[in-house]
Amino acid sequence: KLLIKDLKVDEVPLRIYQPKWPPTGKRRGILYFHGGAGTFGSIRAFERICRYIAKKCNSVVVSVGYRLAPEHPYPGQYFDCLSATLYFMRNLEEYHVDPALIVISGDSCGANFATVICQILLNKRDLPKVRAQVLLYPGLQGLDFHLPSYQQNASVPMLFRKLVLYFCFRYLNKEPSILEDVLQNYHVPESMKQKYKKWVSADIIPDKFKIRGYVPQKSTLYKPEVHEAVKELLAITFSPLLAEDSIICQLPEAYIVTCEFDVLRDDGLLYKKRLEDNGVQVTWYHSESGFHGILAFFGYGIFSFLSGKKIMDSTVNYINSL
């Protein structure tokens, strides 16, 4: 039912899915950045998700095979995603895509890339405005690794709390010797904690998400040498949740998926609140039994999860409502 073609743009592999039936009008255009902590994952691994969206939403889906760290150093992944986005936005006619219906999406770190690309595109006045950002269990900040979801789901597969930082370090090509210090938030100066606590804090998380064994963290040490070693964790590219209100208020409406059993759950909850506080419309879907990376199993028959199917169907319904 789909025409699928592979091409490269500025060395970045793309796979483009379009319905075979002739378009009755202009279609939606959806960019998809896959998860994998910026260090693994591929177009092929997310084939089923992209096919499903293309068919169910009668849309053109562009799956972006950004090059992976550490071989392709950070922040190259963002430039790859941006190159793919600019190529697509400049060639909408060829794909019969409506410039008013462009959706930027991704899961996990791919959702982080989608968030950052939406922020970067605000400065590009010559391009169509993005209609919506679709963020599936996004990771959006490297400021606080003691949020309730980090504590509650520290040992929940597939993404353990320590594994988050292991991947962050691999992605940024850092020595893992200070991993434990960063887990304790020793990398954040007091001034930054104070500045950002209105946006990143357990106090903002609704109480119903704290009942599963959350213990507020006592005030922590600050180690300047640790901060110096991993300061990229606090840059806006890595932590788009820390962007200023003047940027957040201009962003397109959002669809955010969070999973209960996910260390990154609270990143999604905090971003939802930030967007809403800035007058941006948010549609939120919370999977009560979902876990991080659940969509990696989508479409694999007996190995897939009902929660994953529900997430995909809710996502498709949202895109079709635009």
Side-chain angles (χ1 to χ4, degrees), residues 243-277:
E244 292 298 325
D245 285 340
S246 57
I247 290 173
I248 300 286
C249 69
Q250 299 181 66
L251 289 169
E253 72 168 82
Y255 170 83
I256 298 175
V257 168
T258 52
C259 291
E260 181 58 36
F261 298 99
D262 178 6
V263 282
L264 300 182
R265 179 196 72 201
D266 293 351
D267 285 24
L269 295 177
L270 292 171
Y271 196 52
K272 170 183 179 286
K273 183 173 190 315
R274 279 220 63 201
L275 289 166
E276 288 172 341
D277 287 352

Side-chain angles (χ1 to χ4, degrees), residues 6-194:
D6 289 320
L7 60 129
K8 272 194 173 179
V9 173
D10 298 337
E11 297 302 303
V12 184
L14 307 182
R15 183 166 290 172
I16 301 179
Y17 305 81
Q18 16 186 358
K20 271 188 179 164
W21 56 92
T24 48
K26 296 272 188 173
R27 289 187 163 125
R28 294 179 193 83
I30 301 168
L31 285 134
Y32 190 86
F33 309 133
H34 67 75
T39 62
F40 63 96
S42 66
I43 286 175
R44 201 161 58 95
F46 289 80
E47 174 96 14
R48 286 168 172 77
I49 289 174
C50 291
R51 283 175 184 243
Y52 193 77
I53 294 172
K55 280 191 280 204
K56 294 284 186 185
C57 299
N58 185 23
S59 299
V60 178
V61 176
V62 180
S63 184
V64 180
Y66 56 85
R67 291 165 291 179
L68 302 174
E71 294 77 13
H72 187 64
Y74 164 88
Q77 293 66 35
Y78 296 96
F79 299 127
D80 284 0
C81 290
L82 184 60
S83 290
T85 305
L86 296 179
Y87 159 78
F88 186 51
M89 285 186 154
R90 288 170 180 152
N91 291 278
L92 298 177
E93 279 292 310
E94 185 186 334
Y95 298 105
H96 304 289
V97 166
D98 185 340
L101 286 175
I102 293 170
V103 176
I104 296 190
S105 65
D107 67 285
S108 191
C109 78
N112 173 296
F113 301 160
T115 307
V116 174
I117 297 301
C118 284
Q119 293 182 3
I120 291 172
L121 290 175
L122 295 175
N123 297 320
K124 300 200 177 289
R125 304 284 180 214
D126 57 324
L127 293 169
K129 281 183 73 165
V130 177
R131 177 68 179 83
Q133 44 184 334
V134 168
L135 312 174
L136 311 173
Y137 39 76
L140 299 169
Q141 58 86 32
L143 184 87
D144 188 350
F145 296 102
H146 269 271
L147 291 167
S149 60
Y150 269 107
Q151 291 188 27
Q152 295 161 338
N153 303 311
S155 306
V156 174
M158 298 191 322
L159 191 62
F160 306 124
R161 180 162 163 256
K162 269 193 178 168
L163 209 48
V164 173
L165 272 173
Y166 167 77
F167 285 136
C168 287
F169 277 47
R170 188 159 179 256
Y171 175 50
L172 299 171
N173 208 8
K174 301 291 180 187
E175 286 299 316
S177 54
I178 53 168
L179 196 142
E180 289 295 336
D181 284 342
V182 178
L183 270 178
Q184 297 305 321
N185 294 338
Y186 294 166
H187 63 302
V188 187
E190 192 56 39
S191 59
M192 282 190 95
K193 280 183 191 156
Q194 292 308 316

Side-chain angles (χ1 to χ4, degrees), residues 221-234:
L221 288 167
Y222 167 55
K223 295 188 175 178
E225 69 281 8
V226 176
H227 171 76
E228 196 52 42
V230 295
K231 57 180 187 280
E232 291 91 336
L233 286 176
L234 304 168

Side-chain angles (χ1 to χ4, degrees), residues 306-321:
L306 180 60
S307 304
K309 173 84 165 66
K310 285 181 175 172
I311 290 170
M312 282 309 300
D313 287 341
S314 167
T315 304
V316 160
N317 289 341
Y318 170 75
I319 292 170
N320 283 333
S321 75

